[in-house]
Amino acid sequence: MPLPEQWGELPGAAAPDARVKSTRPAEETRRAEDPSLPGAGGHAAARPRTIGIIAPILAGVFWGPVVNGIHASAQLRGHRTLVLRGTPAEVQAPSLAREEVDGWIVIVEMHGLEELARAGVPFITVGARHDEIDCPAVIPDNRGGIRSAVRHLIEHGHRRIAFIGNFGAYDVRERFASYKDTLAEAGIAFDPDLVIPCDNNMYSGGRAAAPALLARRGVCTAAVFGTDKNALGTMAALKAAGARIPEDFALVGFDDIVEAESSDPPLTTVRQRFEMMGNAAFDLIASMIAGEASPPGGVHTANTLIQRSSCGCNVIQSFLDRESTAPQEDGGDALARRMVELLLMPRPLPAHTPPTAVWPAVTRVIALYSAVLRGAAPPPAVELERAYRQAVDITPDLGTLLAMVRLLGQAHEPRGAAVDAAIRRRGDDFLELSRLAIARLRVGVESQHVHQLGLLARTNYDVSFALLGGTQQESRSLAWLQPTTVVWGCLALWEDPTARASLVIAGAYSRDGSPTPPIGSRCPIEAFPPAGMLPPSATDGTFLVLLLPIRSAQRDWGILVLVGPPVVAMTGDEGTVAIWGTLLGAALERDALVESLSAQHADLQRAYENERALSETVRELGCPILPLLPGILLVPLIGLFDGGRAQQVLEKVADAVSRHEALRVLIDITGVPFVDAQVAHLLGVTSRAAALLGARVYLVGVRPELAKSLVDVDLGELATFSSLSMALHKLAPAGGRAAQARPGAR
């Protein structure tokens, strides 16, 4: 359910857009004058005020709600959100979209923040502070949250309390500092041996820390964790090892993720609302864009301790035990406010915001309950479910919802007077119907979640199959976005991957019929993506604009622009959008590899043809056939002579004798340094083959040392001469006579 605009306001927050002056008219002028740029046009409307978001992860229990909170607040104020996946260094901040973004919000990851600071554009951080760069930040109340957790464990009687967390995270370091301070405030000495580091903030980090905690059994009785996922990972490992929770170890987490409520036992934790951090981040950056001073210490978002079974508690009691006068039946407005405040914890309900602005049916629920107490018939189950559905949309936490029903029942109990049994029975029946309606709604939510997971699995299968099994044209056309909720997209590749100064549109997709940029159009990195290139649903803030860098192992390809619902709805879970980018990068890499292999194949084919031609040339040069005199052929051989070359001589001589009708063949081996028995044997075979064709072979240039090696070789009719001149002197007359004897000889 959308939250009222004023919820996100901070002291000194920016007013509506009319107060925000345009600071970049140059780009609009340049686009109007250059028709080659996407969105060009002399009368194009000025782009909307744009908030850039840089985050390495775009969904999940933390990142998704923060991004969605920013987008929701921006949408209420008529701003556009441009989300870049990666770190400031990876997305080339502030070069990318420099002329399109009025202020940046960097979530957690600080790498590359120095370049953004030097650019002079307003920017803030969320969830972390840079060690050296002084900039406004939105941080959860880490110190207050851990203080409440440690104090609660102390109230349970624990004094040996461990701290477990990933100290590489800024939030965890702040929480650890508060842990030590709170122990000191309670007079408990800090013990470094009760500090157990984790490798990450995830379940695996908690599982890896469990053996160290088990080793301290008996010495340590409780533990507070930097994150819920660490706590849940440790809890599972402790239970598998036979430890009892909370009897052996009382555990408290931080975050209140969905799994905390359904764990066994349910996890006591510090609840924070990440979308509230997003709301606060937008308000802070909007005020800075308007030129207003930011709060000196930044902004700290509230949290509250949620008591469950893992610490030894059973229900949410802290809210109900506050010292306040329970409103009577005529105090419906006050009761409605308390019920809504319970649903919103830890977000406050501003005094000027009526409860019905958050939960429109709250007064209807109170009125129905009051009527039942006065004797009216219970309302239909469908009416109760319709009313409570709005409450379930505000918080999924079943304990909070049931505590709200309990609050409703307590508020109508008369003080100091006996309650009529019939009235109590009617009231109990109504409250039981309320709990049943809430339970059914929660089951429906879980069923819908399971359905969405199945749909997500099928969507990812379709996308994976299309990208990995499709053609280059299909990958670049973005037709694979059809099964997703994305309504518009375009793929822009670096014109020069080394310089990465401008992008070329390589593919586009539009589900809603919005125009897409021309394929081949170019855009400088500073102006990408121009507002004129995007569909109306993006420029008016309805949908979120996501810029996803596309990389593979070998190359940075460019950027995929996606326009669609907020990230969680668009991508489903924490890893989906990253998978799309990875698969697209792999598809582009595959296509480039196929093109390269095709080019290499063509080059190899040409090289093969050249090699064949060269081989023929070498073959000719290796055994040249020279018509020396009519009827006489000369075969001068130079260099090493082996069996292969002897075989070549055999073939060439046989062919030449037939073609030239020769009677004498002189094989001159004067330039051959050595002839072994195998080669001599083949020469003998050549002689016999020529004889069958009516010619005789003579071996010329046989030196005395070669003659000795040929003594034991059967040369057949092969005669030898020591020199070519001797051979010609001996054979020329015969050649002449032979020539005269042939018909037509000259």
Side-chain angles (χ1 to χ4, degrees):
M1 175 178 294
L3 301 178
E5 178 180 355
Q6 56 266 35
W7 285 20
E9 291 181 359
L10 297 171
D17 255 357
R19 294 181 55 189
V20 182
K21 304 297 184 183
S22 174
T23 57
R24 293 182 177 85
E27 166 57 19
E28 295 168 7
T29 302
R30 185 166 64 87
R31 189 181 293 115
E33 294 174 350
D34 187 351
S36 67
L37 295 174
H43 302 286
R47 67 165 177 80
R49 195 62 55 222
T50 302
I51 306 299
I53 305 170
I54 303 175
I57 301 173
L58 300 178
V61 295
F62 169 74
W63 311 89
V66 171
V67 171
N68 291 345
I70 297 170
H71 177 69
S73 294
Q75 190 174 12
L76 287 172
R77 295 278 292 277
H79 287 50
R80 177 171 61 130
T81 48
L82 195 67
V83 184
L84 283 69
R85 182 182 181 273
T87 68
E90 290 173 339
V91 300
Q92 290 186 266
S95 297
L96 181 60
R98 183 175 65 202
E99 297 174 353
E100 297 296 315
V101 172
D102 299 283
W104 291 98
I105 298 174
V106 181
I107 305 178
V108 176
E109 183 56 62
M110 303 288 105
H111 181 57
L113 200 65
E114 298 82 0
E115 290 296 324
L116 202 59
R118 283 192 286 269
V121 63
F123 72 98
I124 65 171
T125 61
V126 175
R129 296 182 190 273
H130 196 281
D131 292 335
E132 300 177 357
I133 298 175
D134 183 20
C135 73
V138 175
I139 304 291
D141 183 13
N142 295 309
R143 294 180 179 273
I146 286 294
R147 180 177 290 107
S148 65
V150 175
R151 284 178 175 175
H152 184 70
L153 290 173
I154 293 173
E155 290 169 359
H156 273 292
H158 299 285
R159 297 185 65 83
R160 301 289 291 170
I161 304 169
F163 184 92
I164 302 173
N166 170 29
F167 293 98
Y170 176 88
D171 278 347
V172 175
R173 294 196 298 272
E174 275 205 335
R175 294 165 192 173
F176 176 62
S178 179
Y179 156 82
K180 293 196 296 183
D181 292 344
T182 307
L183 291 178
E185 293 169 3
I188 300 174
F190 168 69
D191 185 354
D193 191 49
L194 296 182
V195 178
I196 302 174
C198 292
D199 294 334
N200 55 53
N201 290 324
M202 308 302 288
Y203 303 103
S204 60
R207 286 193 296 269
L213 185 59
L214 282 168
R216 293 161 174 79
R217 190 192 313 212
V219 176
C220 171
T221 62
V224 61
F225 289 80
T227 67
D228 277 356
K229 289 188 176 181
N230 280 168
L232 294 173
T234 298
M235 182 188 295
L238 292 178
K239 290 172 57 182
R244 298 171 303 160
I245 300 168
E247 292 85 355
D248 295 331
F249 294 103
L251 307 182
V252 179
F254 201 112
D255 288 335
D256 194 26
I257 64 175
V258 174
E259 292 82 359
E261 180 190 12
S262 58
S263 64
D264 182 21
L267 179 66
T268 295
T269 183
V270 177
R271 173 183 292 173
Q272 55 176 333
R273 290 184 178 267
F274 299 118
E275 70 276 6
M276 189 165 64
M277 296 177 64
N279 301 148
F282 170 81
D283 289 340
L284 180 56
I285 193 65
S287 68
M288 293 175 62
I289 293 172
E292 301 175 9
S294 58
V299 176
H300 287 85
T301 54
N303 49 46
T304 190
L305 183 68
I306 301 299
Q307 300 167 20
R308 298 193 181 106
S309 303
S310 68
C311 69
C313 294
N314 295 315
V315 295
I316 298 177
Q317 191 67 41
S318 58
F319 184 88
L320 300 177
D321 288 344
R322 291 177 182 174
E323 293 184 1
S324 61
T325 302
Q328 300 300 313
E329 291 186 31
D330 58 351
D333 290 343
L335 176 58
R337 176 167 292 274
R338 293 188 71 207
M339 292 173 68
V340 170
E341 286 177 344
L342 181 58
L343 294 177
L344 291 175
M345 285 195 309
R347 181 194 290 275
L349 178 62
H352 58 275
T353 301
T356 52
V358 180
W359 181 12
V362 63
T363 54
R364 177 61 177 164
V365 169
I366 296 172
L368 288 172
Y369 184 49
S370 299
V372 166
L373 293 178
R374 291 192 296 267
V382 65
E383 183 175 1
L384 274 182
E385 289 189 14
R386 187 181 301 116
Y388 282 117
R389 179 173 287 108
Q390 298 170 358
V392 172
D393 288 341
I394 297 171
T395 179
D397 185 77
L398 185 59
T400 301
L401 293 165
L402 296 180
M404 179 197 64
V405 175
R406 181 183 174 190
L407 176 61
L408 175 63
Q410 286 182 342
H412 283 76
E413 291 182 0
R415 299 194 174 191
V419 179
D420 180 84
I423 294 176
R424 181 178 295 278
R425 185 172 57 254
R426 289 196 300 270
D428 289 345
D429 288 346
F430 181 92
L431 297 178
E432 193 63 29
L433 288 173
S434 295
R435 296 185 187 100
L436 181 59
I438 289 173
R440 285 175 173 169
L441 290 168
R442 285 296 294 121
V443 169
V445 170
E446 294 301 321
S447 298
Q448 181 63 22
H449 180 64
V450 171
H451 172 74
Q452 289 297 330
L453 288 177
L455 181 61
L456 175 64
R458 291 192 295 273
T459 297
N460 283 341
Y461 172 81
D462 292 339
V463 170
S464 302
F465 187 82
L467 284 173
L468 297 180
T471 64
Q472 180 183 38
Q473 180 60 33
E474 291 170 338
S475 298
R476 297 196 178 200
S477 71
L478 307 186
W480 51 270
L481 288 172
Q482 183 63 38
T484 73
T485 59
V486 175
V487 299
W488 189 94
C490 81
L491 175 63
L493 304 181
W494 295 115
E495 187 172 23
D496 181 351
T498 303
R500 294 197 295 180
S502 62
L503 293 146
V504 180
I505 304 301
Y509 167 83
S510 178
R511 183 195 303 273
D512 60 4
S514 299
T516 57
I519 303 301
S521 58
R522 289 168 171 76
C523 183
I525 182 175
E526 296 84 359
F528 186 84
M533 184 183 83
L534 298 172
S537 57
T539 54
D540 64 13
T542 301
F543 283 150
L544 180 144
V545 181
L546 169 63
L547 272 60
L548 181 64
I550 303 300
R551 300 185 179 93
S552 61
Q554 302 297 325
R555 185 173 176 181
D556 183 349
W557 289 92
I559 298 172
L560 175 65
V561 183
L562 301 176
V563 175
V567 179
V568 171
M570 187 191 302
T571 63
D573 69 351
E574 191 163 323
T576 298
V577 70
I579 291 173
W580 294 355
T582 300
L583 290 175
L584 179 56
L588 294 173
E589 187 78 43
R590 175 204 62 199
D591 296 338
L593 180 60
V594 169
E595 287 183 356
S596 175
L597 289 175
S598 298
Q600 291 181 31
H601 177 74
D603 291 342
L604 288 174
Q605 187 66 30
R606 288 191 294 270
Y608 172 72
E609 297 297 333
N610 292 337
E611 190 276 336
R612 286 189 59 186
L614 180 61
S615 177
E616 289 298 324
T617 302
V618 171
R619 186 179 178 86
E620 292 294 332
L621 294 176
C623 182
I625 304 294
L626 305 177
L628 189 61
L629 292 170
I632 299 178
L633 299 177
L634 174 63
V635 184
L637 302 177
I638 300 174
L640 293 177
F641 205 90
D642 56 15
R645 196 173 180 192
Q647 182 67 32
Q648 179 187 13
V649 170
L650 169 62
E651 296 172 0
K652 295 279 288 183
V653 166
D655 178 68
V657 167
S658 298
R659 285 189 294 106
H660 294 279
E661 298 181 354
L663 298 177
R664 304 285 188 269
V665 179
L666 305 180
I667 300 178
D668 189 351
I669 61 172
T670 303
V672 177
F674 177 76
V675 176
D676 60 15
Q678 179 187 8
V679 172
H681 172 72
L682 289 172
L683 291 175
V685 173
T686 301
S687 174
R688 289 189 287 274
L692 292 175
L693 296 173
R696 186 173 181 183
V697 175
Y698 299 88
L699 205 56
V700 178
V702 180
R703 301 181 298 281
E705 61 273 18
L706 289 180
K708 292 179 181 179
S709 66
L710 301 177
V711 171
D712 297 328
V713 179
D714 181 13
L715 298 177
E717 298 297 324
L718 182 63
T720 62
F721 292 99
S722 59
S723 65
L724 181 60
S725 60
M726 182 177 294
L728 291 176
H729 177 73
K730 182 72 175 178
L731 300 177
R737 290 193 297 273
Q740 293 173 3
R742 292 185 185 278
R746 295 177 183 163

